[in-house]
Amino acid sequence: MKKEFFSSKNIKKNFKRLLGFLKRHYVVFFKDSLLLLCFILSALLNTVLLRFFTVNNLTTIKPLLADLGMLFVFSSFACLFKSDKGKIRYLMVWSLFSVVLCIINSIYYSYYNSFVSVSLLATSAFVSDVGDAVLELAISAKDFIYIWQPIFLCYVYTRLVKKDYFNKVRNGNKFNKRFSFVNMIATGGVILLVASACMNSTDWSRFTKMWNRESVLSSFGVYTYQLNDIVQSLEPKINNLFGHDKALKVVTDYYDNNIYEESDNKYTGIFEGKNVIVIHAESLQTLAMELSFNGEEVTPNLNKLASEGIMFTNFYSQVGVGTSSDAEFTFSTSLMPSSSGTVFVNYFNREYVTIQKLFKEQGYYTFSMHANTGDFWNRSTMHKNMGYDDFYSESSFDIDETIGLGLSDKSFFRQAVPMIRDIINEKGTPFYATMIMLTNHTPFSDLELMDEYPTTMTVNIDGEEVVREYIDGTTLGNYFRSVHYADQAIGQFIEDLDNEGLLEDTVLIIYGDHDARIKRSNYNILYNYDPYTDTVKTEEDEGYVDYNEYEYLLDKNVPLIIWTKDTEYNVNVDTPMGMIDVLPTLGNMFGIHSDYQLGRDIFSINDGSNTVVFTDGSYLTDKIYYNGQNGEIYSINGDSVTEDYIQENNKHANDLIEVSNNIITYDLIKEIREKSNE
Ligand code: GP9
Ligand code: MN
């Protein structure tokens, strides 16, 4: 009988029969399960909307299948409820859950360009503190579009009750509870199997690593992504040994093959023994340093420092969702930030080799100053762990002038100088200080206490001076006014330090912690404004600048300046460089290094080719910007690159992210050091 069924002659016929049976079966089944069907289809539509408004990738069927399969599985349990009320309650819980999921992910994506993770629950406290910024920059009406779904489901339910649908189905009694349940869950299972068969090896690799979240959601859909995130976030917590051996091998293999080698260059040891003041400049982009409005530079003080010191013009921050804190972490350790959660919040109790500890070993007194509360980004705990002897936070300052998130930068620096002087006099050792700025933070809307800085434009039309509004009063205009303020604060700080004689033996280091998170659409006017017609040029107009996604990404570079009062070292470095390269570069100048640093000393790279890896697997070289989300390659200088070049850099990006994550998750530096001491 079996043989007959599968004989080649009968296969086609029997396959047709099977299809006919399935069709009849499902038509009848769904006629009797209209509520479930409406739930599945409406929730599915919401997942499509979410992908449309975020990754905007609707070309592949994979996420649709994955979400459909998951929805079948979720809704199958509704079949087990006896009463209709039980069923609708169960489905409503899922509807509300999925609507909340869609809304959160939609808002989160606008702000972070990634999707939410349960490992960020601890971090969410800080999001409420920067709530204004999220409200202004991230939330928009489209984030709430998903609410229609539970309303629609309620409507369907009441209509069905009115039509006595449920009683009719019950009286027809074609399918019992258990059959319906098995039928639904099996259907979901088969759809999920088909979906997984559609995934390629890159999809699976990203699924297991989960640092390219955008890509995982694009392929596996919303529900599988979220489920996988929960499992992966809890995995190391439930069983820290799970995956440990493999992680340890990856890390030790990497360091065995990349042993630190001292390489001398003309900067080796030039600053040995000197004091260090690091300024962590909030949201400062290099772009601001390149602009002037009405003949006045946005950043005259920073420009002076850049021209008198070493300015890295192609420098990028490599932050994940931990923004400011990730910048601090990467600067200090030369490791990439965590891809799951934030080091400062979720992995603060691990052992890291940091620049602060390395200076301490040289006899330095290390301290940090920041006028926000000490628990923001868990700094009180993490600064101690990183090796700062002291952290002077909000309570050490007189909050006499508030702008945006807290004490104004001008007041902060004004109060800091005598504190630094007294500390130094008391300690009598070289010092390493980090000054974390606060004022220039999104949404750049608290401007009252800042000087006027009109970002208008004046043109001469027919012999008459006409003032155009240009970007004045826009987010971008406000940002430049805010940066202008930050620049004044830095200028005043340096002057005050100088007056106290604190610059004589000191190296000043200034870095922008990350970009200002201003949307691309805001920049168009900057590049395409025509003052003569007072309009913004379009593609058809002559001189139109195509400010595409990649030009926008490239514009996210931030300044890194190394300056000394004697202005002896005076150069512009345009090698692509990441925050991860700071420790090796400074280390060479100060005679320190970490055995675990993943970056490179930028002055030991002679051919200008360095790769800046971003947390989502994208990277930048002197030739291309590689988009880790979709594999797109944007040529920077017009040159094409070989497949080998891409593969090699992909591997490098992968190595840096994987090694860092393994170290962070499994506390491997501690383990490796303990082993080598045995
Ligand atoms: C808060 C400040 C801002 O103290 O460092 O953090 P951010 O929102 O930029 O991560
Ligand atoms: Mn920041």
Side-chain angles (χ1 to χ4, degrees):
M1 179 72 186
K2 237 182 188 178
K3 255 189 189 165
E4 250 174 51
F5 187 90
F6 287 110
S7 76
S8 61
K9 219 165 67 188
N10 288 334
I11 277 187
K12 218 170 158 188
K13 211 166 89 193
N14 288 326
F15 186 66
K16 264 190 176 170
R17 257 190 218 165
L18 182 71
L19 275 184
F21 164 76
L22 285 176
K23 209 166 132 189
R24 279 192 306 278
H25 170 78
Y26 276 107
V27 168
V28 176
F29 182 74
F30 283 129
K31 263 191 187 158
D32 278 6
S33 318
L34 276 182
L35 190 65
L36 289 187
L37 192 64
C38 286
F39 165 76
I40 292 174
L41 293 180
S42 57
L44 189 67
L45 185 56
N46 264 354
T47 66
V48 176
L49 286 173
L50 179 69
R51 278 183 289 116
F52 175 72
F53 285 120
T54 54
V55 284
N56 196 6
N57 178 3
L58 302 182
T59 50
T60 155
I61 195 168
K62 294 185 281 192
L64 201 68
L65 284 174
D67 280 330
L68 185 65
M70 292 300 264
L71 284 166
F72 262 93
V73 174
F74 299 152
S75 49
S76 63
F77 293 91
C79 302
L80 298 175
F81 286 88
K82 227 181 197 161
S83 71
D84 313 326
K85 278 199 178 128
K87 251 184 209 140
I88 185 70
R89 274 189 202 132
Y90 174 82
L91 292 177
M92 278 306 282
V93 169
W94 271 111
S95 290
L96 293 174
F97 169 74
S98 68
V99 166
V100 170
L101 203 67
C102 287
I103 292 175
I104 292 176
N105 271 307
S106 178
I107 297 171
Y108 189 85
Y109 187 87
S110 321
Y111 201 64
Y112 291 110
N113 252 311
S114 181
F115 293 100
V116 83
S117 163
V118 290
S119 56
L120 294 170
L121 284 179
T123 311
S124 57
F126 308 112
V127 175
S128 66
D129 279 20
V130 290
D132 275 1
V134 175
L135 266 181
E136 198 160 324
L137 294 172
I139 297 187
S140 63
K142 71 166 185 356
D143 299 322
F144 299 94
I145 200 166
Y146 313 95
I147 292 172
W148 73 276
Q149 195 261 344
I151 300 172
F152 166 75
L153 201 65
C154 277
Y155 170 77
V156 170
Y157 176 73
T158 35
R159 292 286 303 170
L160 292 176
V161 169
K162 253 188 202 156
K163 291 196 163 172
D164 204 24
Y165 168 84
F166 294 107
N167 281 331
K168 283 181 194 159
V169 170
R170 238 185 314 271
N171 294 337
N173 201 20
K174 288 192 204 79
F175 303 101
N176 68 26
K177 270 186 340 187
R178 209 168 298 159
F179 175 83
S180 302
F181 169 70
V182 173
N183 193 28
M184 289 289 286
I185 207 162
T187 308
V190 170
I191 297 173
L192 285 174
L193 273 179
V194 175
S196 49
C198 295
M199 304 297 169
N200 57 35
S201 58
T202 314
D203 292 331
W204 285 116
S205 153
R206 290 179 174 172
F207 184 75
T208 47
K209 290 183 177 129
M210 272 300 257
W211 39 260
N212 197 335
R213 290 168 183 271
E214 196 179 12
S215 164
V216 175
L217 192 138
S218 297
S219 303
F220 289 84
V222 183
Y223 297 112
T224 314
Y225 160 77
Q226 218 69 57
L227 205 69
N228 187 32
D229 169 68
I230 293 173
V231 173
Q232 298 227 14
S233 303
L234 295 181
E235 205 176 80
K237 292 182 183 75
I238 295 168
N239 182 1
N240 218 0
L241 293 175
F242 195 89
H244 162 272
D245 294 356
K246 193 173 156 240
L248 182 63
K249 186 170 164 15
V250 168
V251 171
T252 41
D253 283 356
Y254 179 85
Y255 287 113
D256 286 348
N257 295 324
N258 296 276
I259 296 170
Y260 167 77
E261 271 172 41
E262 213 176 297
S263 70
D264 279 7
N265 54 48
K266 66 176 185 180
Y267 294 94
T268 305
I270 55 170
F271 293 143
E272 249 172 73
K274 289 210 185 294
N275 301 317
V276 185
I277 298 180
V278 179
I279 300 179
H280 169 116
E282 179 59 48
S283 305
L284 179 66
Q285 280 178 238
T286 310
L287 176 73
M289 294 176 64
E290 292 159 0
L291 297 174
S292 292
F293 294 90
N294 301 300
E296 195 183 346
E297 290 171 322
V298 180
T299 58
N301 293 299
L302 285 165
N303 291 6
K304 186 166 178 288
L305 295 171
S307 68
E308 291 176 354
I310 307 173
M311 167 72 184
F312 299 85
T313 55
N314 213 353
F315 177 69
Y316 287 82
S317 187
Q318 295 157 295
V319 297
V321 293
T323 44
S324 277
S325 68
D326 281 350
E328 285 185 58
F329 176 74
T330 304
F331 179 99
S332 302
T333 58
S334 188
L335 297 177
M336 293 292 287
S338 166
S339 305
S340 154
T342 295
V343 173
F344 270 42
V345 180
N346 306 91
Y347 307 97
F348 56 86
N349 50 0
R350 311 293 203 251
E351 185 172 319
Y352 305 105
V353 175
T354 63
I355 195 164
Q356 293 80 6
K357 290 182 188 167
L358 295 167
F359 272 108
K360 252 167 84 105
E361 283 168 15
Q362 304 293 313
Y364 280 59
Y365 167 67
T366 59
F367 66 96
S368 55
M369 289 186 167
H370 181 45
N372 204 350
T373 54
D375 53 5
F376 201 100
W377 282 131
N378 199 22
R379 281 190 177 103
S380 293
T381 309
M382 192 58 193
H383 276 206
K384 201 169 275 165
N385 183 7
M386 284 164 81
Y388 286 113
D389 289 313
D390 287 300
F391 172 35
Y392 301 88
S393 63
E394 189 187 28
S395 51
S396 304
F397 294 87
D398 176 15
I399 309 302
D400 55 0
E401 182 184 70
T402 302
I403 305 181
L405 283 187
L407 182 65
S408 74
D409 282 344
K410 283 190 182 175
S411 177
F412 166 63
F413 281 135
R414 199 181 304 121
Q415 295 182 51
V417 173
M419 285 164 72
I420 298 174
R421 180 198 57 208
D422 294 347
I423 292 166
I424 302 320
N425 286 343
E426 190 200 324
K427 302 288 170 190
T429 60
F431 66 92
Y432 176 96
T434 301
M435 313 296 297
I436 301 172
M437 296 174 74
L438 189 58
T439 303
N440 185 41
H441 193 281
T442 48
F444 316 109
S445 51
D446 192 4
L447 306 166
E448 269 162 46
L449 296 176
M450 297 179 186
D451 285 354
E452 289 289 339
Y453 181 67
T455 44
T456 52
M457 193 187 270
T458 307
V459 274
N460 192 306
I461 299 177
D462 300 333
E464 211 179 299
E465 299 275 285
V466 180
V467 179
R468 300 291 197 204
E469 284 286 294
Y470 188 29
I471 58 166
D472 207 46
T474 65
T475 306
L476 206 57
N478 292 346
Y479 171 61
F480 292 134
R481 181 169 164 190
S482 172
V483 173
H484 189 65
Y485 171 89
D487 178 79
Q488 289 174 341
I490 291 172
Q492 169 221 298
F493 179 51
I494 291 166
E495 206 178 304
D496 291 353
L497 286 172
D498 200 19
N499 290 338
E500 291 291 346
L502 291 168
L503 286 182
E504 299 314 316
D505 232 358
T506 299
V507 180
L508 195 71
I509 294 153
I510 303 173
Y511 69 84
D513 69 341
H514 48 73
D515 73 282
R517 300 184 172 277
I518 296 173
K519 285 185 182 152
R520 173 154 66 107
S521 52
N522 287 302
Y523 285 83
N524 196 28
I525 183 168
L526 185 74
Y527 290 98
N528 284 308
Y529 181 66
D530 182 347
Y532 295 97
T533 55
D534 195 18
T535 55
V536 180
K537 286 180 202 158
T538 59
E539 263 170 74
E540 290 79 43
D541 296 319
E542 208 185 305
Y544 170 78
V545 176
D546 176 21
Y547 194 63
N548 59 37
E549 185 194 343
Y550 293 100
E551 292 302 326
Y552 172 63
L553 290 170
L554 291 171
D555 259 354
K556 289 190 175 189
N557 58 329
V558 295
L560 172 68
I561 303 171
I562 302 175
W563 180 88
T564 49
K565 195 184 163 190
D566 57 20
T567 69
E568 194 182 333
Y569 300 97
N570 188 273
V571 64
N572 264 10
V573 182
D574 65 358
T575 308
M577 177 179 183
M579 196 65 90
I580 205 172
D581 300 313
V582 172
L583 170 54
T585 305
L586 287 180
N588 175 53
M589 296 168 143
F590 283 91
I592 53 175
H593 81 273
S594 158
D595 286 334
Y596 305 95
Q597 60 194 34
L598 293 176
R600 299 166 75 188
D601 170 12
I602 221 72
F603 294 115
S604 289
I605 301 169
N606 299 319
D607 57 359
S609 73
N610 188 34
T611 304
V612 182
V613 175
F614 298 102
T615 42
D616 66 351
S618 299
Y619 58 80
L620 168 79
T621 69
D622 55 343
K623 294 186 174 56
I624 57 163
Y625 190 103
Y626 174 86
N627 185 333
Q629 311 291 350
N630 54 22
E632 252 174 35
I633 294 161
Y634 184 70
S635 174
I636 290 170
N637 56 5
D639 287 357
S640 57
V641 291
T642 62
E643 188 52 34
D644 280 357
Y645 183 89
I646 306 287
Q647 291 309 331
E648 220 172 87
N649 279 296
N650 275 350
K651 184 180 173 330
H652 176 66
N654 196 65
D655 281 353
L656 294 200
I657 295 172
E658 202 171 10
V659 168
S660 302
N661 274 301
N662 285 337
I663 286 177
I664 293 165
T665 309
Y666 298 103
D667 203 3
L668 293 183
I669 291 185
K670 183 171 179 210
E671 188 175 338
I672 294 171
R673 288 178 129 195
E674 274 171 3
K675 268 196 190 135
S676 66
N677 285 340
E678 270 166 18

